[in-house]
């Protein structure tokens, strides 16, 4: 059951009521409106909360990547960017609005992402995490730290930890022999 609150005379659904599992859905970005949702989430989370510049939060790689959105009802609540390389896929720019940061929502969204990556035939997923979030990537999402690599540093920011997750190969992964869709 959704709880409604009134703002300026208008009744809206509260963030807490949209956090139930039935309200959360995932989508691969396929429209300009969805792309704007992803950029808005990143602007909120990176520019305002992490003091990241616009050039670092949103860059040219956004036009050659797959974006995944999390919605609570029709409201965009989270976004991530996937880039595709020869032997691996890379998760970048993962962000969730503060009211929706919970291990349960993160797990649900990551399961969708892992399935999408595996469907494309990839078994290795890479990311770089802030040290404070690396434990979440390990404990909740099953990533492992890549110990042999040096930390990645950006001017004025904490060094990032490289992390990897190995996905189970799928029998129905896309291949040259797949049926056209």
């Amino acid at each position: 059951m959704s709880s409604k609150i009134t703002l300026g005379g208008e009744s809206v659904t509260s963030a807490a009521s949209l956090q139930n599992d039935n309200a959360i859905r995932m989508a691969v970005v396929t429209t300009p409106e969805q792309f704007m949702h992803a950029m808005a989430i990143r602007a909120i989370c990176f520019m305002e909360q992490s003091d990241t510049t616009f050039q670092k939060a949103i860059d040219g790689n956004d036009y050659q990547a797959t974006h995944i959105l999390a919605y609570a009802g029709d409201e965009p609540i989270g976004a991530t960017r996937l880039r595709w390389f020869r032997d691996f896929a890379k998760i970048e720019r993962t962000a969730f609005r503060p009211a929706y940061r919970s291990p349960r929502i993160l797990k649900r969204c990551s399961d969708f992402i892992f399935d999408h990556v595996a469907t494309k035939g990839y078994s290795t997923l890479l990311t770089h995490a802030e040290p404070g979030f690396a434990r979440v990537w390990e404990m909740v999402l099953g990533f492992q730290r890549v110990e042999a690599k040096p930390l990645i540093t950006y001017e004025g920011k904490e060094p990032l930890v490289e992390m990897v997750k190995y996905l189970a190969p799928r029998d129905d992964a896309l291949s040259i022999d797949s049926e056209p869709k």
Side-chain angles (χ1 to χ4, degrees):
M1 176 185 285
S2 292
S3 63
K4 300 278 187 180
I5 57 175
T6 302
L7 295 173
E10 185 176 332
S11 181
V12 295
T13 305
S14 70
S17 70
L18 288 175
Q19 289 187 22
N20 73 62
D21 284 346
N22 292 332
I24 305 297
R25 67 180 173 84
M26 302 298 300
V28 175
V29 169
T30 59
T31 69
E33 181 181 27
Q34 289 174 324
F35 185 77
M36 288 174 40
H37 290 168
M39 297 306 107
I41 294 293
R42 295 220 323 251
I44 290 167
C45 296
F46 290 118
M47 295 172 64
E48 290 301 315
Q49 296 171 353
S50 301
D51 197 29
T52 300
T53 65
F54 181 84
Q55 290 77 16
K56 289 222 179 2
I58 298 167
D59 63 26
N61 287 322
D62 288 313
Y63 297 107
Q64 58 189 5
T66 300
H67 297 273
I68 307 289
L69 278 167
Y71 286 94
D74 291 329
E75 188 69 18
I77 62 166
T80 197
R81 176 171 86 182
L82 293 170
R83 288 201 298 148
W84 310 98
F85 298 90
R86 190 179 111 194
D87 297 328
F88 65 96
K90 186 176 181 193
I91 293 181
E92 301 174 321
R93 309 297 201 271
T94 301
F96 283 87
R97 290 171 43 194
Y100 300 93
R101 293 178 186 162
S102 76
R104 186 179 47 75
I105 291 174
L106 181 60
K107 181 77 171 111
R108 177 139 181 211
C109 297
S110 64
D111 287 345
F112 178 89
I113 293 165
F114 299 159
D115 185 62
H116 183 74
V117 170
T119 298
K120 291 195 175 282
Y122 288 85
S123 60
T124 304
L125 193 52
L126 183 76
T127 196
H128 293 100
E130 293 178 17
F133 292 116
R135 188 158 168 79
V136 172
W137 287 89
E138 290 172 314
M139 302 301 292
V140 178
L141 306 177
F143 278 77
Q144 303 165 15
R145 293 173 193 246
V146 178
E147 300 293 343
K149 297 248 183 134
L151 298 177
I152 296 170
T153 57
Y154 294 105
E155 186 177 322
K157 300 287 181 185
E158 282 186 273
L160 301 177
V161 177
E162 187 166 311
M163 307 188 80
V164 66
K165 180 175 179 73
Y166 298 103
L167 304 172
R170 288 182 49 145
D171 293 335
D172 63 345
L174 296 173
S175 73
I176 194 120
D177 298 321
S178 297
E179 291 293 321
K181 294 185 181 198

